[in-house]
Amino acid sequence: MAGAVAVAVEGEALLGGGEGRAEGRDCDRVRVGARVAAALAALALVALAVGVDVSGGASGSARAAGLWPTLGAAAGEGGDAAGAKTPIPHVSRKEGGPLPDVDPLVTFNTPRCMKTRAALARTTNHDGDVVVIPELKAVYVDIVKAASESIRSALEERFHASWTQDYGQFAHPVLGRPQRSTTSYLTADVLANYTFFTFVRDPTTRFRSSYAQAMCRERCTLCAVRGEDEMYTPTIPEITAFLQGRLMHFYRDVALGETRSDEISLTEAWVDEHFESQILRLSGATRDGDPVPMHFIGRVETLDHDWSRLMDHLGVSYQDPRRAPIETKEHACDIPTRGAVVAKQRAAPATVEEKVSVASLYHDDFECLGYHKPKV
């Protein structure tokens, strides 16, 4: 069953070519997209109904012991500075599934997930956002709606590193120097000798947070004025349906055309960068077309604990005040009309349809980051 569900949103079969290519040429674009999206939703619903768990056997030993694997053990090294396993702190959760008990770096580095990242980097031409931190010889790979603004602020205030700072990156062939530092700008020295890290979040809670910020932006793509006074704000069901249709068309066209997409078409497919999957954000291509390396992955659900682990890994001393926990930031909705719709949507419990859609759209996030899919 897990294999069947694996065709969800990023479209493994589409990204790799293979089956469905000839059939796609013979069918009308709209009908194929609608049928595939419906099939994905049906597969996800079946998987949810039987309680498919993406963490699988990878977390078996960790679950039995009730401990995280050490970072060194996950990376094939000698373990952390203390040489002992670090217990997971208890975290009370109001939304999302149970807190995973496996280091996300373990599930992230499975062969299937490594193949997915390579395919995404190759076909989507995605340029991931990064913050280069020379003082720590580290690179933060940004994931929107996963405490990214809080982490970037801490890095700028404490380590003088910003994604708008010029580190002599490679110039984009068309745009010149970008507003943000991105993966295609990273030098060979940085790729070989710096520690790459990120923080991830439960896709279920992240989706609702993404919905709120995307709807409250001035340049909300799907928010339109109807009539003279009415501001239209899409609901969660409308957004999930739109995303599924857009993404299936996008990945199908990339696969059938056998050409790389451009960044503009990818952004249009996901509607807003805040909806982009975390695995896509972690598959930013270097100038050679490969996804960036990854050496440490923390969870937003255990941010303070994992930030401390990261500081250990980067050699920041216990006496250094820059190890202090990160102060998280929340976005308020500056557009009251949209804010009222967003608040009502977020206050309502997730429907079966929303759970199925999120499980389909963010299938790779659940599988490769070790989070549990929602059950219905």
Side-chain angles (χ1 to χ4, degrees):
M1 182 59 67
V5 180
V7 300
V9 64
E10 310 293 9
E12 181 182 14
L14 294 179
L15 285 174
E19 307 96 33
R21 188 177 294 247
E23 179 183 354
R25 292 195 181 100
D26 299 331
C27 298
D28 176 79
R29 296 168 64 92
V30 176
R31 291 174 59 199
V32 169
R35 289 177 179 177
V36 174
L40 290 176
L43 285 172
L45 180 58
V46 172
L48 290 172
V50 299
V52 170
D53 186 348
V54 299
S55 60
S59 63
S61 59
R63 180 176 293 110
L67 300 171
W68 288 86
T70 62
L71 178 64
E77 301 170 355
D80 56 22
K85 295 182 178 180
T86 307
I88 304 174
H90 173 74
V91 178
S92 176
R93 308 195 65 201
K94 295 181 180 179
E95 297 179 288
L99 187 67
D101 54 5
V102 61
D103 189 322
L105 202 62
V106 174
T107 49
F108 185 78
N109 283 324
T110 59
R112 186 228 180 279
C113 292
M114 293 176 67
K115 180 179 179 181
T116 296
R117 292 181 63 232
L120 286 170
R122 183 180 67 253
T123 61
T124 64
N125 200 24
H126 181 56
D127 212 6
D129 297 326
V130 296
V131 178
V132 181
I133 317 156
E135 187 174 346
L136 296 176
K137 295 199 71 174
V139 176
Y140 166 56
V141 182
D142 180 272
I143 297 179
V144 289
K145 306 316 299 176
S148 60
E149 186 171 348
S150 303
I151 294 169
R152 291 197 312 271
S153 296
L155 294 175
E156 184 168 11
E157 294 167 4
R158 304 176 188 184
F159 300 101
H160 316 292
S162 167
W163 65 2
T164 60
Q165 194 166 336
D166 182 3
Y167 293 110
Q169 302 96 325
F170 292 99
H172 192 284
V174 177
L175 302 177
R177 295 200 181 280
Q179 181 180 0
R180 303 175 183 177
S181 302
T182 57
T183 52
S184 65
Y185 284 60
L186 299 174
T187 65
D189 174 65
V190 169
L191 290 169
N193 299 310
Y194 277 48
T195 297
F196 283 69
F197 71 91
T198 193
F199 281 77
V200 297
R201 184 178 181 182
D202 188 324
T204 303
T205 56
R206 179 177 176 267
F207 170 73
R208 286 204 161 197
S209 181
S210 298
Y211 166 76
Q213 187 158 348
M215 295 303 101
C216 287
R217 303 176 86 188
E218 282 290 346
R219 57 182 184 274
C220 171
T221 306
L222 297 180
C223 299
V225 176
R226 296 187 173 185
E228 296 182 357
D229 303 315
E230 184 180 353
M231 178 75 74
Y232 175 66
T233 305
T235 63
I236 286 178
E238 289 171 329
I239 286 292
T240 54
F242 190 83
L243 283 171
Q244 285 180 305
R246 271 284 187 96
L247 287 166
M248 289 313 304
H249 280 300
F250 172 78
Y251 284 114
R252 184 202 61 201
D253 290 347
V254 168
L256 296 181
E258 297 183 342
T259 57
R260 293 180 67 174
S261 68
D262 57 49
E263 191 73 10
I264 295 176
S265 62
L266 177 64
T267 302
E268 290 175 344
W270 277 101
V271 181
D272 186 289
E273 69 169 345
H274 294 92
F275 288 122
E276 291 177 350
S277 74
Q278 295 174 86
I279 290 301
L280 173 64
R281 301 284 297 188
L282 295 177
S283 302
T286 67
R287 58 175 175 164
D288 294 326
D290 300 318
V292 293
M294 188 58 57
H295 307 108
F296 180 99
I297 301 179
R299 296 193 189 277
V300 171
E301 294 80 12
T302 51
L303 180 59
D304 291 352
H305 175 264
D306 289 351
W307 177 260
S308 179
R309 292 176 61 231
L310 174 64
M311 294 296 99
D312 289 343
H313 188 66
L314 296 177
V316 180
S317 70
Y318 286 104
Q319 292 76 30
D320 195 321
R322 295 176 297 180
R323 291 180 59 100
I326 297 174
E327 181 181 350
T328 56
K329 302 177 183 294
E330 295 291 339
H331 285 277
C333 191
D334 297 327
I335 306 175
T337 305
R338 297 183 194 168
V341 176
V342 168
K344 183 177 180 180
Q345 290 290 302
R346 295 193 72 182
T351 63
V352 171
E353 290 78 9
E354 179 183 341
K355 292 178 181 180
V356 169
S357 296
V358 169
S360 174
L361 287 166
Y362 300 105
H363 166 80
D364 289 332
D365 288 358
F366 284 108
E367 179 175 359
C368 298
L369 301 176
Y371 286 103
H372 302 280
K373 286 187 176 181
K375 290 185 171 60
V376 293

